[in-house]
């Protein structure tokens, strides 16, 4: 069987180093907000290229805390609007609505699968305070035009970099392209922990301090509470695991990109649309997405032949029950992606022979 992503195999490469690092934490007697967190925050900020990194519980919290901090700082208030790509994973949108801000959905471009920058300006209103770009599938969503719009309308640029670790734009890593970025280290992400973890990166010291306080019950000083905060921390154990894996991130991403290129060069079936060369240049392939009108049939066929695939994602946010008010919206490009997208097996440990088998099946479909 060809697995979608074999986490045991992916982790094997660093398991000895991880076990040693975890043993050190176990024996240290210090499990939260200590040296390991501090080191990872420093190393991750240096990698991304920002002055600050604040660890937190998960990716959703990272995004929620960024917006919450802007509300606390008076930059945004209830009812203000945040532009988001309509085809994003639900967590980007949950972070907005949790803060009583209003998500404004903008259609993606069918070539890049990222927010269509030609459609953003018409979605900007008096209440718009931010654009949240999502480097979906590991492909960079930033464009110069998005940067210009943020400057022109004085909007915050927030990056959801849950899927884009290691991706870059003109030599700048995603996570350092905007005012603040939320990162997820969910186990399957390009930089994944052995459990839940997340982080915010930013060059804004005031924002970083606010997020640090909000994630620690709203307290910057022990037992003094200036804000109504929450508890969202990164474990020392997860921080040390991530610090081990961070050293291999570029190498792992290169392996993903090599495999993506093999798919692109070898898949030859008119009914399957693979990412373009331009797409390839700008992606670290958290996900390798293809589009196929007979997506469900193709998925069943591959599964019958022992190949696991995924769909990212089967139901668009505006079609979800939790956001019923959007039910009548028509977003044809988003809906097409949700109808046609199929994610092929993709991970640094994907075996060449297994991949060739998948490609052969695709070409015979
Ligand atoms: C995974 C993911 C998140 C949420 O991260 P968690 O750590 O699971 O909370 C947010 N946005 C996107 C695009 C994601 O893929």
């Amino acid at each position: 069987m060809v697995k979608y992503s074999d986490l045991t195999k992916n982790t094997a490469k660093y398991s000895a180093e991880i076990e040693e690092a975890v043993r050190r934490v176990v024996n240290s007697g210090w499990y939260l907000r200590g040296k390991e967190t501090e080191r990872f925050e420093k190393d991750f900020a240096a990698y991304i290229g920002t002055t600050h990194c604040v660890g937190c519980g998960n990716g959703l919290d990272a995004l929620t805390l960024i917006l919450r901090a802007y509300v606390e700082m008076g930059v945004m208030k209830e009812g203000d609007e945040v532009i988001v790509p309509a085809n994003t994973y639900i967590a980007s949108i949950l972070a907005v609505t949790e803060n009583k801000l209003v998500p404004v959905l903008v259609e993606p471009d069918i070539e890049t699968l990222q927010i269509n920058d030609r459609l953003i300006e018409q979605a900007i209103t008096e209440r718009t305070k931010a654009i949240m770009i999502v480097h979906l599938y590991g492909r960079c969503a930033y464009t110069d035009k998005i940067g210009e719009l943020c400057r022109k309308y004085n909007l915050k640029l927030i990056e959801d970099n849950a899927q884009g670790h290691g991706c870059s734009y003109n030599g700048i890593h995603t996570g350092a392209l905007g005012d603040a970025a939320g990162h997820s280290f969910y186990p399957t992400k390009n930089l994944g922990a052995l459990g839940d973890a997340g982080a915010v990166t930013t060059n804004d010291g005031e924002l970083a301090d606010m997020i640090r306080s909000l994630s620690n019950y709203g307290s910057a000083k022990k037992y003094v509470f200036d804000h109504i905060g929450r508890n969202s921390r990164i474990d020392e154990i997860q921080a040390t695991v991530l610090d081990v894996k961070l050293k291999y991130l570029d190498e792992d991403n290169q392996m993903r990109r090599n495999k993506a290129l093999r798919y692109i060069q070898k898949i030859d079936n008119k009914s399957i649309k693979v990412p373009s060369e331009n797409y390839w240049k700008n992606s670290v392939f958290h996900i390798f997405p293809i589009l196929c009108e007979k997506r469900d049939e193709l998925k069943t066929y591959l599964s019958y032949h022992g190949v696991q695939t995924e769909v990212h994602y089967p139901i668009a946010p505006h079609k979800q029950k939790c956001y019923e008010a959007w039910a009548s919206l028509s977003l044809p490009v988003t809906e097409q992606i949700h109808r046609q997208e199929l994610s092929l097996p993709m991970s640094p440990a994907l075996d060449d022979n297994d991949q060739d088998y998948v490609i052969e099946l695709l070409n015979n479909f």
Side-chain angles (χ1 to χ4, degrees):
M1 190 178 78
V2 183
K3 285 196 176 177
Y4 175 69
S5 171
D6 188 336
L7 279 185
T8 307
K9 219 166 139 190
N10 287 333
T11 309
K13 174 170 162 185
Y14 2 76
S15 63
E17 244 183 292
I18 286 176
E19 280 167 24
E20 193 188 313
V22 168
R23 195 171 308 118
R24 189 175 66 233
V25 177
V26 170
N27 294 329
S28 75
W30 195 276
Y31 307 119
L32 282 166
R33 287 167 69 86
K35 283 201 289 270
E36 304 292 337
T37 300
E38 220 173 274
R39 172 159 9 105
F40 173 66
E41 287 178 344
K42 196 168 132 275
D43 290 345
F44 193 62
Y47 176 86
I48 294 293
T50 55
T51 46
H52 301 276
C53 169
V54 183
C56 64
N58 55 64
L60 173 57
D61 280 0
L63 295 167
T64 306
L65 283 163
I66 291 168
L67 291 167
R68 180 68 201 293
Y70 280 134
V71 171
E72 289 289 328
M73 288 159 70
V75 174
M76 297 176 194
K77 59 178 184 311
E78 196 175 320
D80 282 344
E81 294 170 359
V82 178
I83 288 173
V84 292
N87 61 322
T88 187
Y89 179 57
I90 201 83
S92 325
I93 297 170
L94 290 174
V96 177
T97 53
E98 194 171 317
N99 283 292
K100 300 193 166 60
L101 300 165
V102 180
V104 175
L105 304 178
V106 169
E107 284 262 72
D109 178 297
I110 196 66
E111 292 304 318
T112 65
L113 309 174
Q114 308 301 320
I115 192 165
N116 187 336
D117 63 6
R118 296 182 302 282
L119 302 177
I120 293 176
E121 193 160 19
Q122 67 200 54
I124 295 173
T125 73
E126 304 259 278
R127 305 216 74 167
T128 310
K129 289 291 155 58
I131 300 175
M132 185 190 286
I133 54 173
V134 182
H135 306 295
L136 203 66
Y137 306 147
R139 192 200 185 279
C140 181
Y142 182 83
T143 64
D144 291 336
K145 182 157 187 178
I146 292 174
E148 278 160 30
L149 287 171
C150 287
R151 284 188 291 277
K152 181 170 169 192
Y153 292 96
N154 193 26
L155 308 176
K156 295 291 179 193
L157 180 58
I158 299 166
E159 298 174 78
D160 177 343
N161 199 36
Q163 303 189 1
H165 304 137
C167 191
S168 61
Y169 181 83
N170 289 343
I172 301 170
H173 274 134
T174 56
L177 292 164
D179 294 287
H183 305 263
S184 164
F185 306 118
Y186 182 80
T188 60
K189 302 285 159 86
N190 286 30
L191 179 60
L194 304 183
D196 272 321
V200 172
T201 52
T202 179
N203 287 316
D204 181 340
E206 192 192 344
L207 183 75
D209 288 345
M210 180 62 80
I211 289 170
R212 208 175 275 289
S213 161
L214 288 172
S215 64
N216 186 43
Y217 317 109
S219 165
K221 200 169 148 208
K222 203 169 186 183
Y223 304 132
V224 178
F225 305 96
D226 293 337
H227 307 278
I228 297 177
R230 58 159 76 197
N231 171 4
S232 182
R233 299 181 288 230
I234 188 168
D235 297 352
E236 288 281 279
I237 285 184
Q238 298 305 341
T240 204
V241 167
L242 289 166
D243 208 51
V244 167
K245 292 181 72 177
L246 180 59
K247 299 197 294 278
Y248 301 100
L249 177 60
D250 286 343
E251 186 181 308
D252 286 353
N253 280 343
Q254 196 48 51
M255 289 165 85
R256 287 175 182 270
R257 284 167 49 72
N258 292 345
K259 288 167 212 299
L261 196 58
R262 291 185 90 229
Y263 274 137
I264 291 169
Q265 288 170 343
K266 293 184 165 194
I267 297 173
D268 182 22
N269 181 330
K270 295 250 169 337
S271 71
I272 294 168
K273 187 170 187 294
V274 295
S276 67
E277 212 166 285
N278 186 47
Y279 184 109
W280 180 83
K281 280 192 201 130
N282 293 294
S283 182
V284 291
F285 290 96
H286 172 59
I287 283 164
F288 188 89
I290 58 170
L291 299 179
C292 178
E293 278 178 32
K294 294 183 180 154
R295 189 264 316 274
D296 295 337
E297 232 175 277
L298 178 57
K299 185 169 180 28
T300 307
Y301 158 84
L302 290 170
S303 166
Y304 175 81
H305 288 96
V307 175
Q308 273 184 353
T309 55
E310 297 281 342
V311 171
H312 297 97
Y313 300 87
I315 306 172
H318 69 288
K319 297 288 183 194
Q320 299 285 357
K321 203 168 153 196
C322 64
Y323 289 124
E324 248 167 5
W326 284 335
S328 60
L329 272 187
S330 167
L331 297 164
V333 181
T334 298
E335 286 156 31
Q336 181 191 343
I337 293 171
H338 288 78
R339 218 169 36 240
Q340 298 187 350
E341 195 276 345
L342 188 69
S343 306
L344 298 184
M346 173 51 77
S347 71
L350 175 64
D351 179 84
D352 278 356
N353 293 327
D354 285 351
Q355 193 186 10
D356 285 340
Y357 172 65
V358 176
I359 292 164
E360 192 188 316
L361 287 171
L362 289 166
N363 289 344
N364 290 332
F365 175 67

